[in-house]
PDB file of all heavy atoms in Angstrom:
ATOM      1  N   ILE A  86     -42.022 -12.534  10.738  1.00  0.00           N
ATOM      2  CA  ILE A  86     -42.934 -13.525  11.309  1.00  0.00           C
ATOM      3  C   ILE A  86     -43.031 -14.664  10.291  1.00  0.00           C
ATOM      4  O   ILE A  86     -43.533 -14.463   9.179  1.00  0.00           O
ATOM      5  CB  ILE A  86     -44.313 -12.885  11.577  1.00  0.00           C
ATOM      6  CG1 ILE A  86     -44.169 -11.666  12.486  1.00  0.00           C
ATOM      7  CG2 ILE A  86     -45.279 -13.900  12.141  1.00  0.00           C
ATOM      8  CD1 ILE A  86     -45.356 -10.729  12.434  1.00  0.00           C
ATOM      9  N   VAL A  87     -42.564 -15.841  10.662  1.00  0.00           N
ATOM     10  CA  VAL A  87     -42.419 -16.938   9.682  1.00  0.00           C
ATOM     11  C   VAL A  87     -43.207 -18.156  10.150  1.00  0.00           C
ATOM     12  O   VAL A  87     -43.216 -18.502  11.330  1.00  0.00           O
ATOM     13  CB  VAL A  87     -40.943 -17.323   9.492  1.00  0.00           C
ATOM     14  CG1 VAL A  87     -40.806 -18.420   8.438  1.00  0.00           C
ATOM     15  CG2 VAL A  87     -40.119 -16.095   9.110  1.00  0.00           C
ATOM     16  N   SER A  88     -43.869 -18.772   9.171  1.00  0.00           N
ATOM     17  CA  SER A  88     -44.508 -20.064   9.443  1.00  0.00           C
ATOM     18  C   SER A  88     -44.389 -20.919   8.195  1.00  0.00           C
ATOM     19  O   SER A  88     -44.222 -20.410   7.079  1.00  0.00           O
ATOM     20  CB  SER A  88     -45.982 -19.885   9.825  1.00  0.00           C
ATOM     21  OG  SER A  88     -46.728 -19.393   8.726  1.00  0.00           O
ATOM     22  N   VAL A  89     -44.456 -22.227   8.416  1.00  0.00           N
ATOM     23  CA  VAL A  89     -44.399 -23.193   7.309  1.00  0.00           C
ATOM     24  C   VAL A  89     -45.643 -24.075   7.412  1.00  0.00           C
ATOM     25  O   VAL A  89     -46.010 -24.507   8.513  1.00  0.00           O
ATOM     26  CB  VAL A  89     -43.118 -24.049   7.371  1.00  0.00           C
ATOM     27  CG1 VAL A  89     -43.085 -25.036   6.209  1.00  0.00           C
ATOM     28  CG2 VAL A  89     -41.872 -23.171   7.358  1.00  0.00           C
ATOM     29  N   ALA A  90     -46.277 -24.320   6.282  1.00  0.00           N
ATOM     30  CA  ALA A  90     -47.461 -25.180   6.247  1.00  0.00           C
ATOM     31  C   ALA A  90     -47.286 -26.226   5.172  1.00  0.00           C
ATOM     32  O   ALA A  90     -46.590 -26.002   4.165  1.00  0.00           O
ATOM     33  CB  ALA A  90     -48.720 -24.332   5.968  1.00  0.00           C
ATOM     34  N   ASP A  91     -47.901 -27.383   5.392  1.00  0.00           N
ATOM     35  CA  ASP A  91     -47.830 -28.431   4.366  1.00  0.00           C
ATOM     36  C   ASP A  91     -48.802 -28.118   3.246  1.00  0.00           C
ATOM     37  O   ASP A  91     -49.482 -27.094   3.273  1.00  0.00           O
ATOM     38  CB  ASP A  91     -48.088 -29.808   4.993  1.00  0.00           C
ATOM     39  CG  ASP A  91     -49.471 -29.908   5.633  1.00  0.00           C
ATOM     40  OD1 ASP A  91     -50.361 -29.095   5.276  1.00  0.00           O
ATOM     41  OD2 ASP A  91     -49.671 -30.779   6.498  1.00  0.00           O
ATOM     42  N   ARG A  92     -48.871 -29.011   2.283  1.00  0.00           N
ATOM     43  CA  ARG A  92     -49.688 -28.719   1.095  1.00  0.00           C
ATOM     44  C   ARG A  92     -51.174 -28.591   1.423  1.00  0.00           C
ATOM     45  O   ARG A  92     -51.928 -27.972   0.684  1.00  0.00           O
ATOM     46  CB  ARG A  92     -49.452 -29.779   0.029  1.00  0.00           C
ATOM     47  CG  ARG A  92     -50.009 -31.140   0.374  1.00  0.00           C
ATOM     48  CD  ARG A  92     -49.858 -32.099  -0.791  1.00  0.00           C
ATOM     49  NE  ARG A  92     -48.449 -32.292  -1.150  1.00  0.00           N
ATOM     50  CZ  ARG A  92     -48.059 -32.995  -2.212  1.00  0.00           C
ATOM     51  NH1 ARG A  92     -48.974 -33.534  -3.022  1.00  0.00           N
ATOM     52  NH2 ARG A  92     -46.777 -33.146  -2.466  1.00  0.00           N
ATOM     53  N   SER A  93     -51.606 -29.137   2.564  1.00  0.00           N
ATOM     54  CA  SER A  93     -53.013 -29.011   2.947  1.00  0.00           C
ATOM     55  C   SER A  93     -53.277 -27.765   3.772  1.00  0.00           C
ATOM     56  O   SER A  93     -54.423 -27.492   4.127  1.00  0.00           O
ATOM     57  CB  SER A  93     -53.450 -30.250   3.740  1.00  0.00           C
ATOM     58  OG  SER A  93     -52.752 -30.311   4.982  1.00  0.00           O
ATOM     59  N   GLY A  94     -52.200 -27.031   4.081  1.00  0.00           N
ATOM     60  CA  GLY A  94     -52.360 -25.794   4.845  1.00  0.00           C
ATOM     61  C   GLY A  94     -52.143 -25.952   6.330  1.00  0.00           C
ATOM     62  O   GLY A  94     -52.293 -24.988   7.086  1.00  0.00           O
ATOM     63  N   ARG A  95     -51.781 -27.139   6.815  1.00  0.00           N
ATOM     64  CA  ARG A  95     -51.537 -27.368   8.226  1.00  0.00           C
ATOM     65  C   ARG A  95     -50.157 -26.819   8.612  1.00  0.00           C
ATOM     66  O   ARG A  95     -49.172 -27.042   7.909  1.00  0.00           O
ATOM     67  CB  ARG A  95     -51.597 -28.866   8.548  1.00  0.00           C
ATOM     68  CG  ARG A  95     -52.942 -29.502   8.246  1.00  0.00           C
ATOM     69  CD  ARG A  95     -53.983 -29.063   9.251  1.00  0.00           C
ATOM     70  NE  ARG A  95     -55.306 -29.600   8.924  1.00  0.00           N
ATOM     71  CZ  ARG A  95     -56.398 -29.364   9.659  1.00  0.00           C
ATOM     72  NH1 ARG A  95     -56.293 -28.582  10.722  1.00  0.00           N
ATOM     73  NH2 ARG A  95     -57.564 -29.864   9.292  1.00  0.00           N
ATOM     74  N   ILE A  96     -50.115 -26.118   9.729  1.00  0.00           N
ATOM     75  CA  ILE A  96     -48.864 -25.493  10.164  1.00  0.00           C
ATOM     76  C   ILE A  96     -47.909 -26.569  10.663  1.00  0.00           C
ATOM     77  O   ILE A  96     -48.249 -27.383  11.537  1.00  0.00           O
ATOM     78  CB  ILE A  96     -49.136 -24.455  11.272  1.00  0.00           C
ATOM     79  CG1 ILE A  96     -50.053 -23.350  10.758  1.00  0.00           C
ATOM     80  CG2 ILE A  96     -47.826 -23.859  11.793  1.00  0.00           C
ATOM     81  CD1 ILE A  96     -50.529 -22.382  11.822  1.00  0.00           C
TER      82      ILE A  96
END
Side-chain angles (χ1 to χ4, degrees):
I86 304 161
V87 182
S88 66
V89 180
D91 61 21
R92 69 175 61 186
S93 66
R95 299 288 176 180
I96 299 173

